[in-house]
């Protein structure tokens, strides 16, 4: 295996696939695990990430992060076209899964740096603001069934270095205007978990 191949195996990108020894194609997610939880977010067991997102799915722990600037604009990030689920949809800034034993805050710091090159010294007031369960299917590709924590923070330095394997683009949007005038943003195709988080924010 080349050095580049080894590095790709170690990355968390959704799009990576490899040939297995029997000649079939194994999705990258088949080598990762997520934390299965009950409706109250109590840990049950570790489950295969691909299994959790296909068939009937499995409820698991997740988070979504809303990053704001000092003018109350939210940073939307477009999911890479190589993502298996909701590819090219616009997300509210980062969404992922904490590993076993990892806090939502630590997982957020990790993913902000990995996906957008945003480091902890660039933001303040990182905190969990909400949590909800949802289940949504994506065409015939799979589903999300998550107990999803919502975290927020405010950037004091908006410089970033997005990873193109994770992020197709990014866009600053007035948060209240986005909520109040959804038809004006219809072309963005927002991820369902972000839409739920935003709706609950204004209820």
């Amino acid at each position: 295996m080349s050095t580049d191949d080894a590095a790709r195996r170690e990355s968390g990108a959704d799009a990576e696939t490899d040939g297995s020894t029997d000649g079939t194609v194994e999705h990258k997610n088949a080598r990762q695990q997520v934390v299965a939880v009950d409706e109250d977010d109590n840990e049950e067991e570790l489950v295969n990430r691909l299994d959790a997102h296909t068939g009937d799915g499995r409820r698991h722990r997740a988070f979504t992060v809303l990053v704001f600037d000092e003018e109350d604009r939210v940073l939307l990030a477009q999911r890479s076209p190589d993502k298996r689920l909701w590819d090219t949809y616009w997300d509210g800034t980062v969404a992922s899964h904490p590993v076993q034993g990892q806090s939502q805050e630590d997982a957020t710091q990790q993913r902000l740096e990995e996906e957008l090159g945003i480091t902890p010294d660039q933001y303040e007031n990182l905190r969990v603001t909400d949590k909800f369960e949802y289940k949504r299917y994506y065409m015939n590709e799979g589903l999300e069934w998550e107990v999803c924590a919502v975290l927020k923070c405010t950037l004091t330095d908006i410089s970033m270095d997005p990873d193109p394997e994770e992020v197709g683009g990014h866009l600053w949007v007035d948060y209240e205007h986005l909520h109040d005038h959804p038809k004006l943003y219809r072309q963005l195709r927002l991820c369902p978990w972000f839409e739920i988080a935003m709706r609950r924010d204004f209820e």
Side-chain angles (χ1 to χ4, degrees):
M1 181 186 300
S2 70
T3 302
D4 287 346
D5 288 340
R8 288 163 69 88
R9 277 185 173 275
E10 291 301 318
S11 74
D14 284 344
E16 299 301 334
T17 56
D18 297 291
S20 65
T21 55
D22 63 2
T24 61
V25 176
E26 179 189 40
H27 194 274
K28 174 68 182 178
N29 289 359
R31 296 190 299 277
Q32 300 174 355
Q33 293 179 314
V34 294
V35 180
V37 295
D38 65 16
E39 63 272 15
D40 296 317
D41 198 27
N42 297 308
E43 181 175 336
E44 295 182 333
E45 61 180 337
L46 293 179
V47 297
N48 179 274
R49 179 173 170 177
L50 191 59
D51 290 343
H53 291 88
T54 54
D56 293 330
R58 185 73 184 271
R59 184 196 295 114
H60 56 278
R61 183 173 293 155
F63 64 92
T64 188
V65 185
L66 308 186
V67 172
F68 294 87
D69 67 6
E70 294 177 299
E71 298 176 5
D72 205 32
R73 297 183 302 170
V74 66
L75 177 61
L76 302 184
Q78 186 181 38
R79 290 169 62 83
S80 162
D82 294 327
K83 295 282 189 180
R84 197 178 68 83
L85 302 178
W86 282 275
D87 52 292
T88 72
Y89 277 61
W90 288 83
D91 199 355
T93 311
V94 168
S96 191
H97 313 91
V99 300
Q100 188 177 38
Q102 186 180 38
S103 72
Q104 298 286 21
E105 292 84 355
D106 286 346
T108 292
Q109 291 181 352
Q110 177 183 340
R111 295 309 294 168
L112 282 175
E113 188 161 0
E114 290 175 349
E115 294 191 20
L116 293 167
I118 295 174
T119 57
D121 62 312
Q122 293 179 247
Y123 53 84
E124 57 187 24
N125 199 23
L126 176 64
R127 74 278 187 198
V128 176
T129 62
D130 195 10
K131 185 188 293 185
F132 58 86
E133 180 181 345
Y134 77 100
K135 188 175 187 179
R136 295 289 188 276
Y137 289 84
Y138 180 69
M139 299 191 291
N140 294 320
E141 298 296 324
L143 75 158
E144 290 286 5
W145 184 11
E146 299 178 333
V147 175
C148 183
V150 180
L151 296 95
K152 294 182 180 180
C153 66
T154 300
L155 284 187
T156 54
D157 172 4
I158 64 171
S159 60
M160 63 190 77
D161 182 23
D163 179 355
E165 291 189 0
E166 297 285 348
V167 180
H170 60 276
L171 178 67
W172 287 102
V173 177
D174 183 276
Y175 190 47
E176 186 171 350
H177 193 265
L178 174 63
H179 173 265
D180 291 346
H181 304 282
K183 289 184 179 180
L184 298 178
Y185 300 91
R186 188 177 292 160
Q187 76 277 13
L188 292 182
R189 297 194 305 165
L190 301 175
C191 292
W193 53 89
F194 170 63
E195 290 188 303
I196 294 169
M198 180 171 58
R199 184 189 71 239
R200 289 170 60 91
D201 234 0
F202 286 89
E203 286 179 348

